[in-house]
Amino acid sequence: MSNKSTKSALNRFKYEVASELGVPLKDGYNGDLTSKQNGSVGGYMVKKMIEAQEKQMAGK
């Protein structure tokens, strides 16, 4: 996977997670969001990536 496609996939994942959490993330400026909102998106992304990797390692 190229660097550009990896960034694109992570960007789509970020918006998917933000939507799941109800964080109004949009293209462009997001300075109106709180640190808590932004942190929850990043933290949940990491949680989901770890869960996916654990499933893969377990052979599921």
Side-chain angles (χ1 to χ4, degrees):
M1 189 179 263
S2 73
N3 190 32
K4 189 172 186 173
S5 62
T6 301
K7 284 183 181 182
S8 179
L10 281 173
N11 203 35
R12 285 191 306 273
F13 183 49
K14 175 176 66 176
Y15 285 102
E16 176 186 318
V17 167
S19 177
E20 286 180 25
L21 296 175
V23 175
L25 192 64
K26 56 191 176 295
D27 282 336
Y29 181 75
N30 283 292
D32 53 334
L33 298 178
T34 66
S35 296
K36 182 177 181 178
Q37 288 172 309
N38 287 315
S40 67
V41 172
Y44 196 62
M45 285 176 69
V46 170
K47 180 181 178 183
K48 288 183 80 165
M49 286 187 275
I50 290 170
E51 287 172 353
Q53 185 63 35
E54 287 175 340
K55 283 182 184 176
Q56 183 181 9
M57 290 172 63
K60 294 182 179 178

